[in-house]
Amino acid sequence: MSQPDTRAMSFSKRANLPNTHPLAAFLLHLIVIKRTNLCLSADVTTTSALLNIAEEVGDSICMLKTHVDIISDFGEKTVRGLRDIARRKRFLVFEDRKFGDIGSTVQKQYTAGPFSIVRWAAITNAHIFPGPAIVTALKAAAADAIAAFNRSVETEISVGTPRPSSDEDDGSFDGSSEGVSNDGDTTKLPLRKRSIVAATTIESSTESTTLERGALDEATAQAENDREKALEALGSPPLARGLLLLAEMSSEGNLLTGAYTQKCIDIARDHNDFVIGFIAQHDLNSKPGDNFITCTPGISLPPPGQEGQKVSGDGLGQQYNTPHKAIVQEGCDVVIVGRGILSAKDRAAEAERYRREAWKAYEERVGAN
Ligand code: S5P
């Protein structure tokens, strides 16, 4: 049976299509409730700069994209700070790691080392040039990490771990000071702390996953009148991790074209229980059942007052399109904006300007009024 064209379909309808990945469904509902299909690319180099920008623009975005390897003082403070703001301002964290190695290596890069990405980033991305095992390896690592958390919860719940007090870290999947080992070994973790962290996580994630579709629809519908209530009904993000595949790039002369892009789509279809979408310059959903979220970097707006003026590149290969072109003409869903917002005098106001433009373009595309 064929499925209606996802380009013309509202994000809430897409959230409810059969087989939509739980994290993708959560993101799509969040986008509708917050009326934002804007992702901030927070390419800053210190923890304080990251937390400041997250705080400033958090209300206007659905995702915040990081490059943690450029943060000179990355550590627990970064993870906890970001988690706290993401929870208050309601956005997902996406680490733009661009994995590109053999399966065994990417598993370690994802789960270990100073960054332990799986712990705190709901979404990450990968190139497919090493072949499809990069996806299966990351998927297995994410599943193992989640299972390790669940096991630690079960153990601790059965021995009656106390609930955290309100001023204690109520943590989540991303809250511990150690990495999640991909062999499920939690013995290196600070157990008591971790168990409290994990117990809370599972409870909150259970809450959000037991929310029935109807409840989510209601949450989305409520958004028109009462955003806070709708967000409350939406609950916490699921524990599930999701992957975006780099199918096309924004930079001049890049090699991600033609057969390569097609291969990327094929791999995504084979693993749509983990791959939630693409980094791409246009919508790549073409077959019944495709419901990938297209996230698009290389986005810029002319300065206020100079609308209609062409946006040029950065002199280092980056090429820009406007949100309107990406969303209406190319069918992209989420626009990723870095320097366009980061270099503005009033970054909150500029993020709002991008949010409005991107949302207006989405409404135009799906024919909403
Ligand atoms: O094709 C791509 C893919 C990505 S993820 N082109 C990109 O520019 N990116 C990322 O998006 C890039 O690494 C940077 O973090 C962001 C664009 O930043 P801007 O300042 O040019 O908006």
Side-chain angles (χ1 to χ4, degrees):
M1 203 180 72
S2 80
Q3 153 193 315
D5 176 11
T6 47
R7 275 196 196 206
M9 206 186 279
S10 72
F11 287 138
S12 0
K13 280 219 177 93
R14 285 174 61 181
N16 289 333
L17 287 176
N19 307 323
T20 304
H21 184 285
L23 188 64
F26 180 91
L27 176 61
L28 291 165
H29 281 295
L30 182 69
I31 287 173
V32 173
I33 296 171
K34 286 184 75 177
R35 296 169 73 81
T36 176
N37 49 339
L38 171 66
C39 169
L40 173 78
S41 181
D43 297 349
V44 293
T45 55
T46 63
T47 295
S48 65
L50 176 67
L51 302 186
N52 286 342
I53 187 71
E55 193 74 62
E56 276 170 55
V57 311
D59 288 330
S60 303
I61 60 175
C62 60
M63 277 197 287
L64 183 141
K65 183 173 85 59
T66 52
H67 275 300
V68 274
D69 55 349
I70 62 172
I71 298 180
S72 55
D73 58 346
F74 178 86
E76 206 47 33
K77 202 174 150 208
T78 325
V79 170
R80 284 172 189 261
L82 195 54
R83 185 195 60 207
D84 168 59
I85 301 169
R87 191 181 288 157
R88 270 191 293 110
K89 304 251 168 194
R90 309 301 304 258
F91 56 77
L92 295 179
V93 177
F94 159 26
E95 164 56 18
D96 186 3
R97 176 61 180 75
K98 296 189 181 74
F99 289 105
D101 211 322
I102 60 165
S104 159
T105 302
V106 296
Q107 285 191 330
K108 295 187 188 89
Q109 290 170 325
Y110 190 28
T111 62
F115 300 134
S116 265
I117 293 163
V118 72
R119 196 156 68 81
W120 51 270
I123 299 168
T124 189
N125 58 357
H127 284 291
I128 56 118
F129 58 76
I134 193 167
V135 176
T136 46
L138 289 169
K139 179 162 68 172
D144 283 353
I146 290 169
F149 269 91
N150 287 338
R151 273 198 302 277
S152 72
V153 176
E154 278 164 24
T155 312
E156 290 296 320
I157 284 177
S158 65
V159 294
T161 303
R163 296 297 316 276
S165 64
S166 55
D167 59 352
E168 196 170 358
D169 173 31
D170 74 343
S172 67
F173 191 52
D174 49 8
S176 84
S177 55
E178 310 279 349
V180 178
S181 91
N182 70 355
D183 54 11
D185 176 10
T186 55
T187 54
K188 294 180 222 101
L189 305 175
L191 247 197
R192 190 138 195 93
K193 184 73 173 167
R194 163 56 68 107
S195 60
I196 290 170
V197 161
T200 311
T201 301
I202 299 309
E203 278 175 34
S204 63
S205 87
T206 306
E207 247 169 60
S208 69
T209 46
T210 51
L211 258 182
E212 295 302 325
R213 285 245 150 100
L216 285 173
D217 283 345
E218 210 177 292
T220 306
Q222 269 181 16
E224 285 295 322
N225 307 320
D226 192 337
R227 201 181 96 140
E228 289 316 311
K229 264 204 185 136
L231 286 171
E232 210 178 291
L234 180 65
S236 316
L239 205 52
R241 267 41 188 147
L243 187 70
L244 299 171
L245 293 182
L246 283 123
E248 292 174 329
M249 291 195 72
S250 59
S251 45
E252 204 178 342
N254 77 80
L255 308 177
L256 279 61
T257 57
Y260 183 94
T261 301
Q262 186 52 50
K263 186 73 192 163
C264 205
I265 301 168
D266 297 341
I267 293 175
R269 284 180 183 142
D270 288 344
H271 300 284
N272 64 5
D273 55 346
F274 185 50
V275 177
I276 62 169
F278 300 110
I279 297 290
Q281 294 296 306
H282 71 285
D283 162 40
L284 299 170
N285 291 333
S286 61
K287 270 199 179 163
D290 286 353
N291 186 17
F292 297 106
I293 301 174
T294 309
C295 301
T296 305
I299 296 291
S300 187
L301 277 172
Q306 296 177 34
E307 289 77 11
Q309 196 182 284
K310 205 176 156 15
V311 285
S312 50
D314 66 352
L316 292 170
Q318 179 67 302
Q319 305 176 108
Y320 290 112
N321 281 313
T322 61
H324 187 272
K325 177 162 187 240
I327 295 168
V328 178
Q329 289 179 40
E330 306 297 342
C332 306
D333 299 314
V334 173
V335 290
I336 300 175
V337 182
R339 286 163 289 180
I341 292 170
L342 297 176
S343 59
K345 255 206 189 115
D346 183 343
R347 301 187 297 185
E350 193 63 350
E352 260 304 284
R353 190 166 79 99
Y354 274 92
R355 184 199 67 76
R356 274 195 309 273
E357 286 297 318
W359 190 252
K360 204 168 70 185
Y362 157 71
E363 290 194 322
E364 182 181 330
R365 188 180 88 199
V366 297
N369 43 28

